Amino acid sequence: MGWAKCWLICLGAMLACDPQGGGTYATAGESASAGSTGEASTGEAATGETSSDAPTTSGGSGSELGCADVRWTHDVAKFSSIRDLVVDARGHVRATESEPDLFRVLDLDPLGVEVAPLEVATADGGVQWGGVDGEGNVVLRVDENGAQFPRDWLRKYSVEGALLWEVEFASTTDGFVLGAPVPGPDGSVVVTRAGSIVLLDAAGSVVWKQPNPDFMQAFARNSAGVTVAVVLSTRRVRSLGPDGALLWEVEWGQEALQDRFLAVDAAGGVVVGETLHGLARFSGDGTLEWEKSEAEVGVRIDGLAMNEAGQVAVLGDPDEPSPSVVVRLGPDGAEVGRRACAQLTGERVAIDGAGQVTVAGYDFLSGNGQYDWWVVAFAE
């Protein structure tokens, strides 16, 4: 979804959306009430315990997709598509998919073997992906379309799928949701809404809360507690300190309503990518360190990820007709390498602490008109 369309939906309908394009907003959501335990499960175990019937699909070689230099590939279940992608601290890939009445977070181990997923039963609202913290716990936003007014909760689940805690928000006082919740490596979570910005600690308690008069939206948070955000419908990029105070602000980009991607590393360095424009990196004090046009990167920027070491993965399409390419850049902006599969159209990208890149995308099966989705973990 483009930034302009998403902004109009957010303001006009007061629904949650993510102009970064990396969030999942399902058409169904988990029904819950304040203080509920949540009906999460891994596999078939409603208690959050790993199911003994968990699938054991092993990682493949990627020969079906024309891949080279891969660690493993995973063929996603038929008719399912991947909406979000991240690699957690265990080296497991977490990817989201949804179907009627169910939101699922896949769990693929370092060999590409599928273990029991986190499954959240849905009924009368929506589920939105937030991400994972430094321990691999999963953060989701869940809403319910109540008879009087919509209600929504921030929920954190353990690696095993147990509900650790939940916090309910009120649209009447906090405003409608802006984007996805943003977990930090330390277990904290930043929530941005039309009326407020809130930081919750690892236990779900409020650390600070401040007004949000100009519709700022958080996108990423590092291990030092620095949060990178943008002011929607503008070109302003902001860095916030651990206490929520403004560290610096810059204007960068060509068209604020294009899709934009933001990430922050452990040193507070921020990388911004803009479709149909390029990339830029700012240091921890807001100084421009380097910038590249899409022509210099060699792909149209359709996705971006960065690890705490400042290594960057850019996903996009090259100028000439060919499969999607992942370009790896070092913190200095120099290209480290690029990867592609001959029959994979990439849609999501993630990078782990070692700089290894994972992509989710699809192979279009012209024989039956279906899209076959895959997760591909590339080697060095």
Side-chain angles (χ1 to χ4, degrees):
M1 178 183 291
W3 183 295
K5 182 177 180 182
C6 185
W7 175 242
L8 291 174
I9 292 174
C10 281
L11 289 183
M14 291 192 176
L15 296 175
C17 75
D18 182 2
Q20 182 171 328
T24 297
Y25 193 81
T27 57
E30 181 180 5
S31 177
S33 59
S36 76
T37 58
E39 295 183 1
S41 68
T42 56
E44 298 176 359
T47 61
E49 298 177 359
T50 302
S51 168
S52 60
D53 297 326
T56 56
T57 306
S58 61
S61 66
S63 58
E64 306 93 331
L65 300 172
C67 296
D69 298 323
V70 301
R71 288 179 288 131
W72 53 261
T73 62
H74 175 77
D75 193 358
V76 179
K78 187 178 181 181
F79 303 129
S80 295
S81 60
I82 299 300
R83 301 298 301 158
D84 305 279
L85 186 72
V86 69
V87 181
D88 68 19
R90 304 169 298 158
H92 286 220
V93 172
R94 308 307 301 265
T96 68
E97 59 181 18
S98 60
E99 59 187 58
D101 299 324
L102 187 68
F103 182 89
R104 181 181 294 110
V105 182
L106 299 179
D107 189 347
L108 307 177
D109 76 8
L111 297 178
V113 177
E114 183 178 356
V115 295
L118 166 63
E119 295 181 339
V120 180
T122 58
D124 300 318
V127 178
Q128 184 183 35
W129 171 251
V132 298
D133 65 17
E135 295 182 352
N137 301 314
V138 173
V139 174
L140 302 176
R141 189 186 71 83
V142 179
D143 67 34
E144 180 184 74
N145 296 322
Q148 300 298 321
F149 54 85
R151 304 171 65 191
D152 66 271
W153 297 261
L154 183 73
R155 291 179 178 167
K156 179 179 281 192
Y157 297 89
S158 71
V159 172
E160 295 78 20
L163 180 62
L164 299 176
W165 51 259
E166 66 175 10
V167 175
E168 182 175 4
F169 288 86
S171 59
T172 53
T173 56
D174 296 312
F176 57 88
V177 177
L178 290 180
V182 178
D186 63 352
S188 61
V189 185
V190 176
V191 179
T192 52
R193 305 177 71 96
S196 63
I197 305 173
V198 181
L199 175 67
L200 304 175
D201 65 17
S205 298
V206 175
V207 179
W208 51 256
K209 181 177 182 178
Q210 62 190 42
N212 189 18
D214 55 4
F215 299 105
M216 176 171 59
Q217 178 185 329
F219 275 84
R221 184 171 171 83
N222 72 3
S223 56
V226 173
T227 301
V228 59
V230 297
V231 179
L232 296 179
S233 79
T234 76
R235 297 186 298 116
R236 284 184 282 170
V237 178
R238 290 177 177 171
S239 178
L240 307 179
D243 60 354
L246 179 67
L247 296 177
W248 52 263
E249 176 182 281
V250 298
E251 287 197 9
W252 182 87
Q254 184 177 44
E255 176 55 67
L257 297 182
Q258 294 288 357
D259 286 338
R260 306 186 100 191
F261 308 89
L262 296 97
V264 59
D265 64 18
V270 173
V271 169
V272 186
E274 184 178 291
T275 300
L276 304 181
H277 183 54
L279 292 173
R281 178 182 167 92
F282 298 90
S283 67
D285 63 3
T287 301
L288 178 64
E289 294 186 336
W290 53 261
E291 58 184 327
K292 293 176 177 288
S293 67
E294 288 189 329
E296 291 174 308
V297 179
V299 297
R300 185 189 68 202
I301 297 168
D302 294 326
L304 181 150
M306 181 167 68
N307 61 19
E308 286 253 299
Q311 298 170 303
V312 179
V314 181
L315 176 67
D317 297 327
D319 294 334
E320 67 280 358
S322 68
S324 302
V325 174
V326 180
V327 181
R328 290 195 302 148
L329 305 174
D332 60 356
E335 182 175 326
V336 176
R338 53 182 61 208
R339 294 284 187 271
C341 295
Q343 295 172 233
L344 184 72
T345 299
E347 290 287 323
R348 306 283 180 261
V349 64
I351 186 169
D352 65 18
Q356 294 179 314
V357 174
T358 301
V359 171
Y362 61 85
D363 175 23
F364 179 67
L365 305 176
S366 57
N368 58 18
Q370 300 294 331
Y371 293 86
D372 186 19
W373 279 76
W374 294 76
V375 178
V376 178
F378 287 99
E380 287 287 353

